[in-house]
Amino acid sequence: MSNEEDRGNDILLDEDIEVKEPCRFKVILHNDDYTTMEFVVKVLQLVFSKTTDEANEITLKVHKEGVGVCGVYCYEIAETKAKKVEKMATDEGHPLKTSVEKE
């Protein structure tokens, strides 16, 4: 029997498959001197489904430390949320910036 014929009879067992967790990415907001804290809270609530308390806490962290993590997601979702934030900011005349970083 040739190697090609043997391949058709191979059975993959669950223990033969190594499943890796997908990489996770942080969506980060960056402080600026023009975007209002009210707008940042609004973004956190609408885009990241944060409660008022959570949104206020993240907003203060961004204000005091220069950056704050909004959430951690798979890459596609993180990128989509970051772009949505920047579009909302641009539409309302705010220079708010985001970034996506591997966790």
Side-chain angles (χ1 to χ4, degrees):
M1 201 183 263
S2 73
N3 282 343
E4 288 181 20
E5 292 171 357
D6 287 341
R7 284 188 208 142
N9 296 325
D10 288 343
I11 297 173
L12 287 176
L13 302 175
D14 286 342
E15 61 264 9
D16 294 338
I17 301 171
E18 183 180 335
V19 178
K20 293 181 181 178
E21 289 291 321
C23 293
R24 310 270 292 162
F25 293 82
K26 301 181 284 189
V27 179
I28 299 170
L29 285 182
H30 298 267
N31 190 41
D32 62 69
D33 293 332
Y34 303 100
T35 304
T36 65
M37 292 176 77
E38 292 80 14
F39 179 77
V40 175
V41 169
K42 176 180 157 183
V43 163
L44 289 165
Q45 290 175 316
L46 293 175
V47 178
F48 299 96
S49 301
K50 300 297 183 187
T51 65
T52 301
D53 288 342
E54 291 170 328
N56 283 322
E57 185 178 320
I58 294 167
T59 300
L60 287 174
K61 183 174 176 72
V62 171
H63 180 70
K64 291 178 181 178
E65 298 178 22
V67 293
V69 176
C70 306
V72 181
Y73 309 93
C74 69
Y75 180 75
E76 291 81 8
I77 292 173
E79 273 293 314
T80 300
K81 287 184 179 286
K83 288 179 182 176
K84 187 171 186 174
V85 169
E86 291 198 6
K87 176 159 182 9
M88 286 175 68
T90 300
D91 289 350
E92 298 217 16
H94 297 290
L96 184 63
K97 295 294 177 203
T98 62
S99 61
V100 174
E101 295 179 8
K102 194 172 185 179
E103 188 174 46

